[in-house]
Amino acid sequence: MTHYDVVFSGFGGQGVLFGSQLLAYAAMEAGLQVTWIPSYGPEMRGGTANCTVVISDEEIGAPLMRRPSAVVALNYPSVQKYEPLIAPGGLLLYNASLTLRQPERTDIRCVPIPASDTAAELGTPKLLNMVMLGALLQITGVLPVEAVEQSLEAHLPAHRRDMLETNKLALRRGAELAQTLSVMA
Amino acid sequence: MTHYDVVFSGFGGQGVLFGSQLLAYAAMEAGLQVTWIPSYGPEMRGGTANCTVVISDEEIGAPLMRRPSAVVALNYPSVQKYEPLIAPGGLLLYNASLTLRQPERTDIRCVPIPASDTAAELGTPKLLNMVMLGALLQITGVLPVEAVEQSLEAHLPAHRRDMLETNKLALRRGAELAQTLSVMA
Amino acid sequence: MIAVEPFTEQVVFQRPRAMTGAPTTYCPGCMHGVAHRLVAEAIDELGIRERAILVAPVGCSVFAYNYFDIDSVVAAHGRAPAMATGLKRVQPDKIVFTYQGDGDLASIGIAEILHAAGRGENLTVIFVNNAVYGMTGGQMAPTTLPGMKTTSSPLGRDTRTMGHPIKMCELLSQLDGAAFIARRSLHSPAEIRKAKKAIVQAFKTQIEGRGFSMVELLASCPTNWDMKPVDALKWIETHMVPIYPLGDYKTRVES
Amino acid sequence: MIAVEPFTEQVVFQRPRAMTGAPTTYCPGCMHGVAHRLVAEAIDELGIRERAILVAPVGCSVFAYNYFDIDSVVAAHGRAPAMATGLKRVQPDKIVFTYQGDGDLASIGIAEILHAAGRGENLTVIFVNNAVYGMTGGQMAPTTLPGMKTTSSPLGRDTRTMGHPIKMCELLSQLDGAAFIARRSLHSPAEIRKAKKAIVQAFKTQIEGRGFSMVELLASCPTNWDMKPVDALKWIETHMVPIYPLGDYKTRVES
Amino acid sequence: MAKGHVVVDSERCKGCELCIGVCPKGSIHMSEGFNAKGYRTAVWVNPDGACTGCALCALVCPDTAIAVYREVVPRVGAANAASN
Amino acid sequence: MAKGHVVVDSERCKGCELCIGVCPKGSIHMSEGFNAKGYRTAVWVNPDGACTGCALCALVCPDTAIAVYREVVPRVGAANAASN
Amino acid sequence: MAKQLMKGNEAIAEAAIRAGVEAYFGYPITPQTELLEYMSKRMPELGRVFLQAESEVAAINMVYGAACAGRRVMTSSSSPGISLMQEGLSYIAASHVPVVIVDVMRGGPGLGNIAPSQSDYFQMVKMAGHGDYKPIVLAPATVQEAVDLTALAFDLAERYRTIATVLLDGVLGQMMEPVELPAMRALPTTPPAWAITGAAGRAKNSVVPFRMQADDLEALNLELQRKIAEIARREVRFKEYLIDTTSGSTDKAELIVVAFGTAGRVALSAVKAARQKGICVGLHRPITLSPFPDERLSQLADEARGFLVVEMNAGQMLQDVKLSVGGQAPVRFYGRTGGQVPMPDDIALEIEKLDEMTGHPLDHKIEGPVALRPVDRPARRQETSRTSRN
Amino acid sequence: MAKQLMKGNEAIAEAAIRAGVEAYFGYPITPQTELLEYMSKRMPELGRVFLQAESEVAAINMVYGAACAGRRVMTSSSSPGISLMQEGLSYIAASHVPVVIVDVMRGGPGLGNIAPSQSDYFQMVKMAGHGDYKPIVLAPATVQEAVDLTALAFDLAERYRTIATVLLDGVLGQMMEPVELPAMRALPTTPPAWAITGAAGRAKNSVVPFRMQADDLEALNLELQRKIAEIARREVRFKEYLIDTTSGSTDKAELIVVAFGTAGRVALSAVKAARQKGICVGLHRPITLSPFPDERLSQLADEARGFLVVEMNAGQMLQDVKLSVGGQAPVRFYGRTGGQVPMPDDIALEIEKLDEMTGHPLDHKIEGPVALRPVDRPARRQETSRTSRN
Ligand SMILES: Cc1ncc(C[n+]2csc(CCOP(=O)(O)OP(=O)(O)O)c2C)c(N)n1
Ligand SMILES: Cc1ncc(C[n+]2csc(CCOP(=O)(O)OP(=O)(O)O)c2C)c(N)n1
Ligand code: SF4
Ligand code: SF4
Ligand code: SF4
Ligand code: SF4
Ligand code: SF4
Ligand code: SF4
Ligand SMILES: [Mg+2]
Ligand SMILES: [Mg+2]
């Protein structure tokens, strides 16, 4: 039985929505059940945004959970917020480029990804979300990177089409990084 | 035990409200329980108006009844409307001056009072309500005419004060008429 | 052949086709009756009876639906312009008009009338201003004259605490969406004739798709003014007209 | 004795006393922040902080209660003028003002603002017109410019179906109860200074008991306009000001 | 002057007297009696044929209680004209 | 010209750049790094003392992130004047 | 003090004035209008605030504003107007400010008519606005009670910082009865500490009808629920007739009629008539509809053979009676709608039907108080709810 | 047709369009706004009517007008906006015209917040406006269901000439799930006979939301009640999980969780978890809140040991569950307010408590379906209602 839940969290503008939606699209297109749900702070812009994705091969009950099994934290406040919440045995994937302090929990797996730096290296600082998503796929194996690449082709907004390859590149770089890092960890 | 209910009914402008209120005042001032309740048609002015008065020496439950025990009908439509409704053994006191047809029921007491004519004779056509009220008091004995005269003194609006004696006169003429007529009937 | 017809009569005046003939519940001398008739005559003249739709208000004229022989609805108090918007937007070929009192239109319903006018809804509004809330027993309306006594301003409308009259024609003619805005009075035969013309013009505005049209009619409420009907008409002339000047407030030609 | 003082600094600009200093939730470059500060400065200058009462709206500035260091309430969407009326009528010595967005004041709340002005309520209204519903994500407001794209007019405001902009200063200045009605803009330092003066004048109108006062401030919503804050200010100047001319619309001297 | 003929529907009439007020010929009076609703009603009284059928009375009547007819003076050729 | 001194509260600043746009002296720039909320912030850079303390920057700042001070040039007799 | 003959609407207005109402905001609507008109005359005479609002929406928000200032304030309306106030009422509830609302109910739905009705029960008692809150709802059955409960409404509103409503129908609003008015109370001299009066010499106050964070809003809701529970514990009021009498010739009631307001007083006539026929029936008349006298009814259900709920609606309080009775006795319903007032005869007939249905003791004309037979648990389907036109 | 990943709000909008909605009038409010925005784009594309009203009051009255013309019409809003529509809804009910209303509930009372909630249950189900009427209320728990029920809402509204509402919360409005959209339906070609379309070639039609005479208005009310009864007879819908399964390894449920919408789907997770622990619990999820599945619940009550009602409010549907259960089994409540979404763990805990409270069988890990022990009638005071923060 597949049952997977993950929270994407970061500043507004870091691509939290699109990154997490892409995962949801890929899950749907892989024939799985999926829910995607955002939650915002009171700020109109800026502030933090987070999205919860649940993937399952059965009818999904709760689309939200108190203790997520995985968190993709795109900025430091998200690390601070979610580190204590992750279910024991869970995963914290965090943007090491923006994190001031290492997570401390030992009962979960914490994987630092230098996502902002990596994206910047690729010349596309905005694609840190893709780097993180690639890493997530690699580490969890919830879906193959290729599946997400296909969804990317289908759902990248028209006015961003020229960025398709770069997005894919970022995804793959994230997956590579995760492989290296999680081997190291 | 005193328990008395009566409906005053007529055209708007015939003094239905004031006539019936006066009875209610007198009842209150005689230390009895009393309810007074109006009901109007959809017309803003004109149309028919009727008021129900219940007098009792106990807490009054229903202030309205399907079959009143007495009706004071100031015009012909009221006779038509209420004749069939009055409780058996009840009383229909009607303004004979404006009535086209005699009431037919034999299980109630029907007393014609030429109220409009009488009031006109007194030079105050508007006081037909007082004539009828006087007649009612006389026939039913629910309250002495004097009690109502006292209430008249207390509650006649300031701008009608000059009419006090005429009002009293009309009351008394009504009572006299009723005496004669009910003796005849 | 030259025929000499028998001596005959010609109808000069009778009830318009667009009225049902049901007797009204209005008080003696109430100008709602005249306003109704003028609207019905205009409908007859323009030949729009079969596509006219009345939106009646809450007020004494809530019963208007019963007096017009056309399709009718009754709106919630003040909301006739919104309801009319709904009716018209889904069937733009129909001639939709509201008939509203001053409490309805200028008090509780001022948002709906302003926005209908603001959007330039292609509707016609017949606005009967009798300076009081007739139906509920003569309370103060936004159109009540300064100093005027009503059942909710027993010492007279004090403009310091209760404000000055709101003048709807003046207000609505500020809005770009308004195409035809006029004020008339019903206080004399001559004024009644002028009112009729304005009503026809308002309907024409709608027929031609030029946008929002409204005719305000100064009218009497003899019951709540506590006047004889004849005196009430005089009072309109002497007291209301000076505060609510008659005339065309807006006539936009383009649509 | 002649003293040569040590070299010192004088405060030219700092946060006004009437602000709490709580960081705002507004977007970067949102002019609500400037509007707040001007109001607070006016309160400080007039020395009315201890008797000023804010009625905050529903809109992005729903949080205003948190930013002003004065007694505050939050009204239901559009109803701030009614709530302010309640507050002021029972304590006429207080200085009560509403702070409202264009959706709040000109759309859902147009009845309340018109009647507050019509009654000549001795209130002050700060009206922040940013031509969209900011808080809910940039839908069309009654003040949205013709042709302007919003999230609920994705092809641009079509005046034939969505109406023309409603101009509140023009409208309210028709009402006898309105004492001071002015429109200013926040698009440049010079305009900001003028806006401040108008706000002071509006409060003075209330302090002197002269009736209803309102200052409309043209403001930007960079987020929903999808512009850089600097460009948004330019856009106010080039696009909004021509449709919403700046100036005093009404200045009534007597009360 | 044309000759008028006025019919008052006394069951519709509410006795507001507006018609009386506007009739230039004084051709309308109030009834002595009451109609079913209890109103005195307008009565057209035109002994001297003064009524011109001007319809002012009808114009102000709030209850469309008045219908007005006017004598048609027969015109030679009318039938012809109609048959064209 | 008077000499100004500007203090930007970088935790309040949201990096909208409005202050930069209005500063006649070009004395404000954007930071390289981010504040806790994730914004680049305004930085007062006044190496040549160009800032006049005109406060235009503060006037447009929506977040009251800017305080402005101005040098007071000591005036002879000031103390005297004050003691009058 | 001598009794006065007063209309319900005017008596309530005068009672509010004597209870110290400082501001009234309202909008005309039949059958409530006399209340507003009375206020328009009296309040200015007393130097207090009367304002006719442009609408019910404005009225309730003016009330909200004045209440925030810590002043005693009220409005009154009738059914459609109350519907328009629902958003405002919900804001007021969220803000914990005290207000008094008088609803003189009329026939519905829609424009309905101006005849008396009780079909705002749900709208008032179950809170019609969005969110979880519950006003206090007081239902008088006589003009005197309307006077007394109006004063009580102000007390309770202030004690609990809540909405207190006086819920009556057009019969009570329009009816005249003799009343004794209480003395004029002094107005409060200082506003409460939370009031919005300008931050002079103290930290600022705010009245904020929202909490952006869910946990904060939940805390606000828990506070509201706590208040509701406290009110339920302390403020239940009802009146009973011919129930559980230990003296005299009247028997302990086996059948209980439950009815409020006008329906309650009409039912009293019917109950008396049925007693005459020897049916052991009593009347329970809730005075507080919220908090509802559920414990008392549940107690009565332990011993009663059956209940008859009479309302001038299609069965609204009925649900609360059923919830209280909890399946322990059959609950029948007799309701009239559209402005019809039930007549004593009709109710008496329903009592007889209930008597038969629940199997009255063979000798039902018992002389003195007796212990009741234990009651079988009725089959569920007997607890029928229906609107009857009889 | 391929599935699409859609937000609840947008999916509902598209479903309405495919169901043939001809006009949409609305006003922005979070968390419903995407629905309006979607309509603003799609309706004009299709040559249909989209209009952003000046307020919710105007919106509902525009809907009323378009419905009178016999057109398929809808609006959508969220809690405070729905409160403002109550007068209009009551008028619509009185007029027997079909309309569809979507309410995406948010935290209340007052301005509350924009987080998900279910506290409009009373306002929708018990009719918040004045008068006696009852809309149909459909409560989806998934985006797919929201799509399906939106189409159903139009059908039911037209079949019964009534108000049909789709009641969901911010979770469902904002959540994306895969959905299969139905095909586009053809628009009706001729308006119904009663519609207000101009009296051409026929006698005039009127839509009149009042009856001046009480007996006429009572007749109107009886017609409404008849309609409500018919709907109750024919349109009840619910979904059950792990209840009464005759096959496989799951036991017949002894404990029943009752929850709708988002609370229902979260409860499903909890029920599954409790089953894992061997507690024989099932889930009853009402889909029609009005008509309420009272007969089915009453049936379940005959055999169940106890009920747990879970809501995102302080206990509203709870009352209807209790009325249905009629005292035959204890009913516990777990509610979260203010925008809090209950979590599966919390509900699971409540299930365990209920299990203990109602005395679970010694060997509660039974292998196959078994007959249930007869249930003792519980003491009334056990049927506690409470809001718990655990
Ligand atoms: C929501 C609501 N509020 C109040 C009323 C009561 N009401 C009925 S008519 C009316 C005022 C009517 O005045 P106007 O519009 O001037 O019409 P008129 O009767 O003078 O022609 C009022 C307040 C109502 N029916 N509904
Ligand atoms: C009754 C009601 N309807 C709708 C909303 C949703 N809403 C919140 S703010 C807002 C519009 C705000 O726009 P505006 O007044 O222009 O203020 P801004 O955010 O642009 O400053 C709306 C529609 C609400 N809270 N209450
Ligand atoms: S109350 Fe006034 S407006 Fe209403 S019908 Fe009578 S006269 Fe006409
Ligand atoms: S959305 Fe617009 S109005 Fe609201 S805070 Fe952001 S910029 Fe300002
Ligand atoms: S038609 Fe003219 S002249 Fe004849 S009665 Fe009427 S008003 Fe008088
Ligand atoms: S105007 Fe009409 S209603 Fe009035 S008296 Fe003349 S005929 Fe009668
Ligand atoms: S005070 Fe004037 S010169 Fe100095 S930084 Fe600010 S704007 Fe520039
Ligand atoms: S104007 Fe204020 S908020 Fe904007 S960048 Fe400058 S200091 Fe920062
Ligand atoms: Mg009027
Ligand atoms: Mg705005």
Side-chain angles (χ1 to χ4, degrees), chain G residues 114-135:
Chain G
I114 59 176
S117 168
Q118 298 183 323
S119 57
D120 292 6
Y121 183 95
F122 277 149
Q123 142 151 296
M124 275 300 187
V125 171
K126 304 279 169 203
M127 69 210 169
H130 57 287
D132 288 283
Y133 66 95
K134 226 166 144 51

Side-chain angles (χ1 to χ4, degrees), chain F residues 8 13-19 42 61-63 65-66:
Chain F
V8 178
C13 174
K14 292 178 185 151
C16 70
E17 307 189 8
L18 290 178
C19 51
C61 175
D63 289 279
I66 299 181

Side-chain angles (χ1 to χ4, degrees), chain D:
Chain D
M1 200 193 91
I2 292 171
V4 177
E5 304 244 20
F7 190 86
T8 55
E9 284 187 342
Q10 162 200 4
V11 175
V12 190
F13 200 102
Q14 65 183 13
R15 188 171 57 246
R17 170 69 187 88
M19 294 192 89
T20 59
T24 75
T25 50
Y26 302 124
C27 308
C30 172
M31 282 292 120
H32 273 305
V34 171
H36 284 17
R37 203 194 60 230
L38 298 182
V39 170
E41 287 172 2
I43 289 172
D44 281 3
E45 273 180 39
L46 294 165
I48 54 174
R49 197 190 68 83
E50 299 200 332
R51 58 187 184 117
I53 294 174
L54 161 70
V55 183
V58 175
C60 285
S61 49
V62 69
F63 298 105
Y65 80 91
N66 202 17
Y67 309 140
F68 284 95
D69 194 14
I70 62 175
D71 271 14
S72 312
V73 301
V74 177
H77 190 31
R79 318 305 176 196
M83 200 172 177
T85 297
L87 278 156
K88 180 81 182 184
R89 289 268 174 156
V90 295
Q91 37 189 8
D93 54 321
K94 300 301 179 323
I95 303 303
V96 180
F97 69 104
T98 71
Y99 181 108
Q100 303 180 256
D102 46 333
D104 194 78
L105 180 142
S107 192
I108 194 171
I110 200 167
E112 286 74 19
I113 196 74
L114 269 157
H115 278 281
R119 286 190 305 266
E121 293 293 340
N122 194 22
L123 297 172
T124 300
V125 174
I126 308 297
F127 169 34
V128 178
N129 178 0
N130 58 14
V132 288
Y133 288 27
M135 178 171 242
T136 42
Q139 295 78 29
M140 191 183 83
T143 49
T144 294
L145 307 194
M148 184 173 169
K149 285 186 186 163
T150 72
T151 51
S152 63
S153 60
L155 301 178
R157 180 178 190 162
D158 179 346
T159 54
R160 286 167 311 165
T161 55
M162 306 173 201
H164 289 266
I166 293 188
K167 301 173 184 174
M168 292 307 303
C169 286
E170 286 81 339
L171 209 55
L172 292 180
S173 54
Q174 290 295 316
L175 297 168
D176 291 334
F180 176 64
I181 306 285
R183 186 182 287 125
R184 298 290 186 271
S185 174
L186 301 178
H187 69 260
S188 73
E191 297 300 331
I192 290 173
R193 288 210 177 91
K194 289 187 205 156
K196 159 84 168 294
K197 280 199 190 117
I199 293 170
V200 170
Q201 191 172 346
F203 277 119
K204 275 193 183 151
T205 304
Q206 183 179 170
I207 293 168
E208 292 161 11
R210 287 193 278 118
F212 183 88
S213 53
M214 178 175 95
V215 180
E216 173 175 344
L217 300 171
L218 303 184
S220 59
C221 174
T223 297
N224 289 304
W225 295 1
D226 202 12
M227 288 180 197
K228 292 216 178 104
V230 177
D231 298 339
L233 293 192
K234 290 222 181 71
W235 197 84
I236 296 180
E237 184 176 8
T238 53
H239 289 75
M240 285 186 81
V241 173
I243 296 211
Y244 296 108
L246 308 182
D248 291 354
Y249 282 82
K250 186 149 183 194
T251 320
R252 204 187 52 200
V253 187
E254 87 289 10
S255 69

